[in-house]
Amino acid sequence: MLRDQPNTGADVTHRLSLVKHVRMNLQHHFLIAMPSLQDPFFKRSVVYICEHNEEGAMGLIINKPMENLTVDGILKKLKIAEENRDPAINLDKPVFSGGPLAEDRGCIRHSEPLPPAFASQTTP
């Protein structure tokens, strides 16, 4: 591939699949977009790779919070009650884009085990 040609999201996906074939695991690593990458989703992005295995990869774009969207806003949209929540926990935190590229799905990365009521909830 020529370095002066613009890259696309498909190029990034293709490169991750090539990495999989050489058995390099990028889990817990950062991918930094090259200046030539012009795909609007990945342009100027820093991606933390949360998971990378034979089934695929999942990452979060850590330098681009989604506009006007917070954890509290998502919980309200999904009608997830705040009962039994520690009021010291601030839910006014940004939400970041990531994935596999599927805008109709989401996941929550967190540092402590979720209470059973949250862990079992899924949305279509």
Side-chain angles (χ1 to χ4, degrees), residues 66 74 78 95-108 123-124:
M66 297 178 77
I74 285 185
L78 296 175
V95 173
F96 293 87
S97 221
L101 299 175
E103 293 181 3
D104 62 334
R105 298 180 190 152
C107 69
I108 299 173
T123 58

Side-chain angles (χ1 to χ4, degrees), residues 68-79 82 91-93 95:
N68 304 316
L69 191 57
T70 63
V71 172
D72 186 47
I74 285 185
L75 293 176
K76 286 179 181 172
K77 270 187 176 178
L78 296 175
K79 298 178 183 168
E82 296 180 16
L91 296 178
D92 189 29
K93 297 193 185 257
V95 173

Side-chain angles (χ1 to χ4, degrees), residues 1 7 10-20 34 37:
M1 178 171 60
N7 297 311
D11 292 331
V12 172
T13 303
H14 176 70
R15 285 191 195 125
L16 281 174
S17 70
L18 290 175
V19 167
K20 182 170 64 174
M34 296 293 292
L37 184 65

